[in-house]
């Protein structure tokens, strides 16, 4: 049975996994960083520069933070979805818009308030980061969450139909 929790976990864990793989690939291709460094960078949001000295332990903590953030974004979309009827119109538009909203929120609010070391403005990195969040986070969430509500709506219609159609008695 599909439940709200299962839907949020599916959307959030898939988005977190895809985003983690894409961020690791981007960091390797653009800066020669390995995935351990990528997730230490995530952990540095809470630990500051000392996260880069913690080896696998702080990388593991970064993975936990990364997945918690992805699950939070999935939960936010899940609970917002029924309140905004325009979200039912286009999953692709929702994926693009949500990916951009996530990028803006994370990069203009969350990261500056964290202990992550400042990085220089590089347009290529910004565009790549936006595209990763659109494709790897926004799209999976925008495609998985509506399925829950469509199933629920379909189930309600089937029950209503069953309740209103007279049954034959012999």
């Amino acid at each position: 049975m599909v439940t709200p929790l299962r839907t949020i976990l599916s959307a959030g864990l898939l988005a977190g996994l895809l985003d983690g793989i894409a961020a690791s690939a981007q960091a390797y291709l653009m800066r020669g960083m390995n995935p351990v460094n990528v997730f230490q960078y995530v952990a540095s949001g809470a630990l500051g520069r000392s996260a880069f000295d913690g080896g696998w332990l702080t990388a593991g903590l970064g993975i936990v933070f990364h997945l918690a953030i992805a699950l939070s974004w999935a939960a936010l979309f899940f609970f917002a979805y029924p309140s905004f009827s325009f979200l039912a119109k286009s999953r692709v538009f929702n994926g693009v818009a949500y990916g951009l909203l996530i990028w803006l929120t994370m990069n203009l609010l969350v990261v500056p308030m964290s202990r992550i070391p400042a990085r220089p403005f590089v347009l290529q990195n910004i565009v790549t980061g936006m595209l990763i969040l659109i494709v790897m986070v926004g799209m999976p969430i925008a495609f998985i969450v509506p399925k829950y509500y469509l199933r629920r709506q379909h189930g309600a219609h089937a029950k209503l139909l069953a309740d209103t159609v007279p049954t034959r008695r012999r």
Side-chain angles (χ1 to χ4, degrees), residues 126-167:
I126 291 169
V127 171
T128 303
M130 285 179 177
L131 289 173
I132 287 172
L133 287 175
I134 289 168
V135 174
M136 303 299 185
V137 180
M139 289 295 178
I141 291 171
F143 275 80
I144 291 172
V145 167
K147 288 181 181 181
Y148 168 81
Y149 290 101
L150 288 171
R151 283 186 186 125
R152 195 172 88 166
Q153 184 180 27
H154 178 72
H157 286 170
K159 182 175 176 1
L160 180 63
L161 183 62
D163 291 345
T164 57
V165 174
T167 56

Side-chain angles (χ1 to χ4, degrees), residues 47-131:
L47 305 177
R49 292 191 185 278
S50 66
F52 297 102
D53 300 327
W56 283 96
L57 184 62
T58 55
L61 185 61
I63 290 170
V64 170
F65 289 160
H66 179 76
L67 292 174
I69 292 166
L71 287 165
S72 297
W73 284 111
L76 178 64
F77 191 86
F78 180 87
F79 291 114
Y81 188 85
S83 299
F84 300 100
S85 61
F86 67 87
L87 291 175
K89 297 198 186 312
S90 173
R91 292 180 187 179
V92 172
F93 176 80
N94 292 341
V96 171
Y98 203 54
L100 289 173
L101 174 68
I102 293 167
W103 187 91
L104 288 167
T105 304
M106 294 303 295
N107 287 279
L108 300 179
L109 293 175
V110 176
V111 171
M113 293 188 320
S114 75
R115 297 179 66 195
I116 290 177
R119 292 188 358 188
F121 177 90
V122 178
L123 184 59
Q124 181 182 0
N125 293 346
I126 291 169
V127 171
T128 303
M130 285 179 177
L131 289 173

Side-chain angles (χ1 to χ4, degrees), residues 22-36:
S24 295
Q26 176 198 19
Y28 178 76
L29 294 172
M30 297 177 110
R31 294 186 287 291
M33 290 174 59
N34 65 43
V36 171

